[in-house]
Amino acid sequence: MKNLFLPPPQRLGDRCLGLAGMLRAAQQVQEAARRGRSDNHLLLLSVQSILAIDAPNALAALAGLEGLQRPLQQLCPLLQRGPTQAEEAELLRYTLSLAKLSGRLLAHPAALDRLQRGIEQAHRQIDHFGELLHPSVLAGLAETYAEGIGTLSPRIIVAGESRFLTRDEDTSRIRTLLLGGIRAGVLWRQAGGKIWTTLLERNRLCTCSQEYLRQLPMASANRS
């Protein structure tokens, strides 16, 4: 008998990618806040994803599959066994908060308007400065997050070393990464994603993540 409580299966792939995108943001925020590490390539992909408001498909909206390899690798263990360490629990908390905030955003016209204006401003700044990771671009996206998303609940409380959380440059990077996570969360919502259905379809999502990993040439080598 067909399970009527599960979303349409043809959108499973987009939900899997959306979850991976949120988890990618959570991983990068954790690295930046706890260790002061920031992968400029993944930050660049986050900015590209934020700007891709008219992307033709989910992969384009998340700036490609290659940048999702690490979260896709971690997605299956988190879905199947749950977090076993404090840092994994923190990643799950960030990801769940992004998922919830994405739903709040879609139901909040004023926040959506602020987000759209912030993205338009970012495009103008990139045209002016000629680079996506220019400090002014990141500061503008961080302000967009603070004014558009930071007013919604639940607020994401980032844990880490105070020296990595107080400098303006680090704050801009973290908020930009969180905004990239919101972009992934909106994609996940638009594909029918809900927290309770994610629990019901976790086995299929796990299989889906493994199928995406098999499309990456270096996935097998990195997992060995």
Side-chain angles (χ1 to χ4, degrees):
M1 180 177 178
K2 184 179 178 181
N3 191 338
L4 299 178
F5 294 100
L6 290 178
Q10 67 269 21
R11 306 178 75 186
L12 180 71
D14 288 353
R15 291 196 293 278
C16 180
L17 291 172
L19 283 172
M22 288 187 285
L23 183 55
R24 175 174 67 185
Q27 290 169 337
Q28 292 305 303
V29 166
Q30 187 179 71
E31 288 287 310
R34 290 196 172 276
R35 300 174 183 87
R37 300 174 187 165
S38 181
D39 187 319
N40 277 349
H41 177 62
L42 292 179
L43 179 62
L44 177 66
L45 294 181
S46 292
V47 173
Q48 290 176 334
S49 179
I50 293 166
L51 299 176
I53 54 176
D54 296 321
N57 53 56
L59 275 178
L62 295 172
L65 189 59
E66 178 268 336
L68 295 171
Q69 178 170 318
R70 184 182 165 207
L72 283 169
Q73 289 170 340
Q74 194 167 15
L75 188 61
C76 191
L78 284 177
L79 287 171
Q80 294 285 37
R81 59 162 169 77
T84 60
Q85 302 172 357
E87 288 198 0
E88 285 187 340
E90 184 175 80
L91 286 176
L92 188 59
R93 175 173 67 83
Y94 290 156
T95 303
L96 286 172
S97 294
L98 288 168
K100 292 176 182 177
L101 280 170
S102 299
R104 302 282 195 280
L105 172 65
L106 291 172
H108 200 291
L112 280 169
D113 180 68
R114 178 63 184 91
L115 180 60
Q116 180 175 346
R117 287 187 284 111
I119 292 173
E120 291 170 352
Q121 178 191 20
H123 278 288
R124 291 192 296 269
Q125 289 177 313
I126 292 166
D127 288 341
H128 177 73
F129 293 111
E131 56 180 295
L132 273 69
L133 297 186
H134 190 279
S136 295
V137 175
L138 297 181
L141 290 173
E143 184 178 4
T144 297
Y145 176 85
E147 295 182 357
I149 310 299
T151 59
L152 306 176
S153 62
R155 294 187 62 185
I156 299 179
I157 306 301
V158 176
E161 297 284 339
S162 60
R163 58 195 169 119
F164 301 137
L165 295 172
T166 53
R167 292 193 310 167
D168 289 344
E169 178 184 351
D170 295 326
T171 300
S172 292
R173 285 172 173 260
I174 288 171
R175 287 178 174 171
T176 299
L177 289 166
L178 289 172
L179 190 58
I182 292 293
R183 173 67 179 100
V186 168
L187 169 67
W188 174 73
R189 290 280 181 182
Q190 290 172 334
K194 293 180 173 58
I195 292 172
W196 69 273
T197 52
T198 298
L199 297 174
L200 290 176
E201 64 180 3
R202 60 183 177 272
N203 290 334
R204 293 196 300 151
L205 286 165
C206 182
T207 300
C208 184
S209 69
Q210 293 171 335
E211 289 173 352
Y212 278 124
L213 284 170
R214 281 192 285 271
Q215 297 177 34
L216 292 165
M218 298 301 295
S220 298
N222 288 340
R223 288 198 301 273
S224 60

